[in-house]
Amino acid sequence: MVCVGPLFAVVSGLLAFASAIPTKIENRASELSIGDIINALSLGFFAHINVSTTFDPLPTNPVPIDFDLTNLLPVELTFDNIQAEAGVNGETFITFNQTFPEPGLVLPPLSTVNSGTVDNVLLVNGTVETLGIIPLGFLDLLINASIRAITVNGDLGIPIALNGLNQRLSLRSKSSHSRFSIHY
C-alpha cells in the first residue's frame, strides 16, 4: 500500500515554495531604480571633469568647472539638472548643482558633449585640501540628475529621475574613459 499522505505533504510544500519565489523577485524588482541598474552596469555618464582654480586657501573657494557627459545609448538624452558631490573615502571635496538653460544639455545618441562652464562650484575643503586628493588616484561621484530620454533636439522626451548614481573617476590617466583634472 502506498502512503499518499507524506507524498502529498512534500508536493504541496514544494508548490508553496515555488509559488512564493516570484513574489520575492517581483518585490525586489520594484525596489530597483534606474540609478541602481546604471550603477550595476557601471554605465557612468561623466567622462571628464576639469576644475580651474587658484591656490586661494579659503575653505569655501567657489571655482568654475566644465565636464564631459557621455551617452552610450542609441537615443537622445537631455539633462535638465545635475546635482553632484565628489569625494574620497566618504569625505566630500566638491559639490555643485547645475540647471541647464532650455532646452537642457542635449546628448545625441552615442556621443560625448561638454557642459560648458559651470560657475560657483564649491571646493568644500578649499583648494589646497582638494589638491591633496590627487595622489590617491581616484574621485568618487554621487550624482542625482533630472533627464529626459528619447528627446528630439532637446524637446519632448520621457522624464526620468536618476538618483544615487555612483561613478569613480581616475585622477591619473589621461587615457582613462573617466577622468578628473585640476588646472591652476
Side-chain angles (χ1 to χ4, degrees):
M1 177 182 233
V2 176
C3 188
V4 179
L7 181 61
F8 179 77
V10 169
V11 171
S12 297
L14 287 174
L15 287 174
F17 175 75
S19 66
I21 291 174
T23 303
K24 291 184 183 221
I25 292 173
E26 288 171 13
N27 288 341
R28 176 66 183 130
S30 68
E31 294 172 10
L32 287 176
S33 70
I34 294 173
D36 292 332
I37 295 167
I38 291 171
N39 289 337
L41 296 173
S42 297
L43 297 176
F45 287 104
F46 280 80
H48 190 192
I49 297 177
N50 289 308
V51 177
S52 299
T53 186
T54 64
F55 281 106
D56 185 355
L58 295 174
T60 57
N61 183 25
V63 297
I65 68 167
D66 70 274
F67 49 87
D68 296 337
L69 293 178
T70 298
N71 179 3
L72 299 174
L73 300 174
V75 298
E76 183 178 282
L77 299 176
T78 299
F79 281 73
D80 295 318
N81 177 271
I82 295 177
Q83 296 174 329
E85 291 184 3
V88 176
N89 298 327
E91 182 177 357
T92 300
F93 285 88
I94 300 168
T95 64
F96 70 89
N97 183 351
Q98 174 66 20
T99 298
F100 296 99
E102 290 292 328
L105 182 61
V106 178
L107 280 72
L110 306 171
S111 68
T112 299
V113 174
N114 186 270
S115 64
T117 301
V118 176
D119 289 315
N120 297 316
V121 174
L122 190 61
L123 299 181
V124 176
N125 298 320
T127 303
V128 175
E129 289 290 325
T130 302
L131 290 173
I133 64 175
I134 293 173
L136 299 174
F138 67 92
L139 185 69
D140 292 322
L141 297 175
L142 175 60
I143 305 147
N144 295 321
S146 297
I147 73 166
R148 288 174 286 128
I150 315 173
T151 56
V152 178
N153 297 321
D155 292 325
L156 306 172
I158 302 166
I160 300 172
L162 297 177
N163 295 316
L165 296 178
N166 297 301
Q167 185 176 348
R168 179 164 281 186
L169 297 178
S170 170
L171 299 178
R172 293 187 180 147
S173 172
K174 292 201 176 210
S175 63
S176 172
H177 166 72
S178 300
R179 58 193 166 93
F180 171 84
S181 59
I182 297 177
H183 305 278
Y184 48 92

